[in-house]
Amino acid sequence: MTDIRNIVILTGAGISAESGLATFRGPDGLWEGHRVEDVCTPEALARNPALVHRFYDERRAKLAEVAPNPAHEALAALDRAWPGELLIVTQNVDDLHERAGASRLLHMHGELKSALCAACGKAVAWADPLPPGSACAGCGAPSLRPDIVFFGEMPYDMERIEEALAQADLFVSIGTSGAVYPAAGFVQMARHYGARTLELNLDPSAGSSYFEESRLGPASELVPELVRDLLG
């Protein structure tokens, strides 16, 4: 690891599962008892806004019951100590990376603790329930919705992520399914630009074959080990 300077780390639901948060798509294909198509698409929001808003209200409230685990804490320690460029890109909408202390962080799929105005595009911090029809403080429109990137919508900060991947010496994927694009394609992009690639996952992902190395086991064990290796 001595020749590594610039690092991009992608995290998925697996890193937060050990804190007690359900993975995005469980073994039964459901997310907290709901079909993803019923709670995570623009069509679902238009068809049944009460259900969609209530679903994310419940997920937001759940954050008060969980805490960062050793994997989140290890990445935060790496963030504080790493002298080169570092970007943690998370597919997760929870706030566990922030609560652990990470700051070089992007939420590519949005955040539970944020509300987005569908009229003007302004996002604001939001910790309380968000009923349909809530008014935007910026433009006044009754158009606030969960600041979640639904299927069919463009993930956030893709240009910055691609720039970081182009400069990366090491790309690490932690706790991801390898099945949700565009994040599932980051490993191929990183390899194209010459980065070393490493996967840390409980089980092989759909994209395991694209990585130079895969280490299998709990994130709470594998991530601290990796950080110790990187920091020497």
Side-chain angles (χ1 to χ4, degrees):
M1 295 289 184
T2 56
D3 58 339
I4 300 298
R5 177 157 182 82
N6 299 334
I7 303 173
V8 176
I9 297 173
L10 174 69
T11 68
I15 198 171
S16 294
E18 291 181 70
S19 291
L21 294 178
T23 54
F24 181 66
R25 232 186 254 272
D28 52 6
L30 303 178
W31 185 18
E32 296 282 14
H34 293 269
R35 294 192 318 144
V36 172
E37 295 79 8
D38 292 336
V39 293
C40 199
T41 65
E43 294 79 13
L45 181 63
R47 181 174 61 248
N48 194 341
L51 170 64
V52 173
H53 279 249
R54 184 171 65 251
F55 178 82
Y56 290 101
D57 285 349
E58 291 170 355
R59 307 285 75 69
R60 193 178 305 111
K62 177 72 174 177
L63 296 180
E65 304 174 12
V66 298
N69 64 54
H72 297 104
E73 292 164 357
L75 290 183
L78 180 66
D79 187 358
R80 290 189 295 270
W82 189 251
E85 294 295 323
L86 172 70
L87 182 63
I88 301 169
V89 180
T90 186
Q91 296 173 276
N92 299 336
V93 295
D94 62 61
D95 63 347
L96 296 180
H97 281 302
E98 290 94 333
R99 285 161 58 188
S103 60
R104 289 187 272 184
L105 174 71
L106 291 179
H107 282 269
M108 65 177 294
H109 289 161
E111 303 177 60
L112 284 169
K113 288 192 170 180
S114 178
L116 176 70
C117 180
C120 72
K122 179 180 175 63
V124 294
W126 200 275
D128 300 318
L130 180 65
S134 297
C136 172
C139 71
S143 303
L144 289 184
R145 53 161 273 188
D147 189 7
I148 303 296
V149 176
F150 293 150
F151 280 98
E153 297 177 334
M154 180 62 69
Y156 293 141
D157 296 304
M158 285 302 298
E159 184 174 342
R160 182 178 172 193
I161 294 169
E162 291 174 12
E163 289 173 355
L165 289 168
Q167 301 298 318
D169 302 306
L170 174 66
F171 171 71
V172 185
S173 176
I174 303 170
T176 70
S177 67
V180 178
Y181 284 83
F186 290 171
V187 59
Q188 293 160 283
M189 188 179 302
R191 290 189 65 169
H192 170 77
Y193 286 114
R196 295 167 61 179
T197 55
L198 170 65
E199 176 184 50
L200 309 181
N201 223 3
L202 193 59
D203 301 296
S205 73
S208 288
S209 62
Y210 294 116
F211 288 87
E212 293 174 82
E213 181 183 357
S214 291
R215 302 178 187 175
L216 301 182
S220 58
E221 296 177 7
L222 296 181
V223 178
E225 289 174 2
L226 173 64
V227 171
R228 285 194 292 270
D229 289 345
L230 286 168
L231 296 179

